Amino acid sequence: MRAPSTLAMALACALSVSALTPLPAMAQDAHGMRPAPPAPDQTRLNYHLRPRQIAEGTWVIEGAVADFLPANGCNIINTAFIATGDGVIVINTGPSRLYGEQQRRAIAAVTPEPVRAVLNLNLHPDYFFGNQAWDDVPTQALAGSIAGMRAEGESYADNLYRLCGAWMRGTQATPARQALEPGSFTQGKHRLELRRLQGHTRDDLVLIDHSTGVLFAGGLVFAERVPTTPHADPAQWLASLDLLEQWQRQGQFTQLVPSHGPVGEGLQGIGQTRDWLRWLTGWMQDSARQGLDLSELLRAPVPERFARWAAQPAELHRSLAQWYPAYERRALQAP
């Protein structure tokens, strides 16, 4: 049995982006064929945000199914908003001040209702870096997420400025200002519920709109894309995915908006995310028992069912650099 690899720390720092998976000219969802989101304009720094209605009073703004790249404006997240009849609730604010400003204009072009609150579903930068554009509106998140935003916001900013260039101009990490508690509430015509889960991070906020059957899953669900894992606990994550699937079987929601990936594939994303986590953790465990080095795993191909997913191989390599040394240590300590 070999000693744990010394490559992990260097890889965790060096691995950053993968090749962009091109979006098709048309995309398929529950409503049939639809135009893919327009590409951002790097010259004018225009994200070309196009809200798409998916249910009554409910719109999503889909990001690229890719990794952070200047070509996509580092816009890889699905944000959303609900016009309740008594004000708008915004869900996530994107990767930059510029995104937040353009998001705000895109929402105003759809509805005249005032924005009542902005929800950041977890601590990762593309969930809250647009908060600067919403400084006159309550920005809210779970307390643990706010603590993480405050602790890691500056390092997030350094990394995104390096990766995204001019798109980040004027952006400062701006954590949510108000901690919220899980629970149910009514806003206008919509019966809404906030639930706290764990796994992708220690505080994963999930929003269910019981009036429309739409669930906003935050970072717990990835569709057609390799999941990101910098704050993940795979066992807790798998348990949360089981809960989501249980809620779906119980009819608590009929549509799921994933954090990353095609919204039309959101329900399938529960199974995809689970499949990836089970495969990855099982592969690392078996490889460590066999004495394989991290460098050998980095050279290995993924199973065919994952090969076309976006953010390959960077997200896989980051997860291996982050997690594999612990599997090696456990294998060395086993009888």
Side-chain angles (χ1 to χ4, degrees), residues 147-160:
M149 294 172 187
R150 291 171 177 167
E152 303 193 43
E154 293 305 317
S155 62
Y156 290 155
D158 290 344
N159 195 40
L160 286 186

Side-chain angles (χ1 to χ4, degrees), residues 179-261:
L180 50 76
E181 293 289 337
S184 300
F185 64 100
T186 298
Q187 185 77 33
K189 302 175 183 177
H190 292 250
R191 293 183 298 107
L192 304 165
E193 184 176 1
L194 297 169
R195 296 181 181 177
R196 177 184 179 267
L197 298 180
Q198 291 180 299
H200 180 59
T201 71
R202 293 182 64 181
D203 284 279
D204 291 308
L205 184 62
V206 171
L207 173 64
I208 303 178
D209 188 338
H210 291 290
S211 300
T212 60
V214 178
L215 180 142
F216 301 89
L220 289 168
V221 175
F222 288 69
E224 304 293 332
R225 187 191 188 279
V226 179
T228 58
T229 60
H231 297 93
D233 180 308
Q236 291 180 338
W237 198 340
L238 288 167
S240 290
L241 292 170
D242 288 345
L243 271 177
L244 291 178
E245 189 169 73
Q246 177 183 331
W247 297 345
Q248 182 191 359
R249 290 197 304 267
Q250 293 170 345
Q252 296 190 39
F253 64 91
T254 55
Q255 286 193 77
L256 185 149
V257 178
S259 63
H260 303 279

Side-chain angles (χ1 to χ4, degrees), residues 91-167:
I91 302 158
N92 300 323
T93 60
S96 67
R97 175 191 59 81
L98 188 62
Y99 183 101
E101 292 170 351
Q102 294 182 23
Q103 177 192 43
R104 188 161 188 162
R105 292 196 293 270
I107 293 171
V110 169
T111 174
E113 295 183 31
V115 173
R116 301 297 189 193
V118 169
L119 304 181
N120 303 140
L121 298 187
N122 70 46
L123 60 83
H124 289 158
D126 44 346
Y127 291 73
F128 78 94
F129 264 35
N131 283 2
Q132 274 178 282
W134 298 99
D135 59 0
D136 59 336
V137 174
T139 52
Q140 303 174 332
L142 292 169
S145 292
I146 295 175
M149 294 172 187
R150 291 171 177 167
E152 303 193 43
E154 293 305 317
S155 62
Y156 290 155
D158 290 344
N159 195 40
L160 286 186
Y161 268 90
R162 177 176 60 85
L163 292 174
C164 311
W167 292 100

Side-chain angles (χ1 to χ4, degrees), residues 8-95:
M9 183 173 296
L11 281 166
C13 296
L15 293 169
S16 58
V17 296
S18 64
L20 174 63
T21 300
L23 286 171
M26 299 291 286
Q28 177 77 38
D29 66 7
H31 303 286
M33 300 303 292
R34 58 177 176 79
D41 185 335
Q42 293 189 73
T43 302
R44 296 179 174 83
L45 297 180
N46 188 339
Y47 283 104
H48 290 306
L49 302 182
R50 299 289 187 271
R52 181 170 67 86
Q53 189 168 8
I54 62 168
E56 182 180 358
T58 308
W59 286 261
V60 296
I61 304 174
E62 293 169 277
V65 187
D67 207 347
F68 289 126
L69 285 174
N72 58 42
C74 285
N75 174 25
I76 61 172
I77 190 170
N78 298 322
T79 67
F81 60 98
I82 304 170
T84 68
D86 184 27
V88 174
I89 295 173
V90 178
I91 302 158
N92 300 323
T93 60

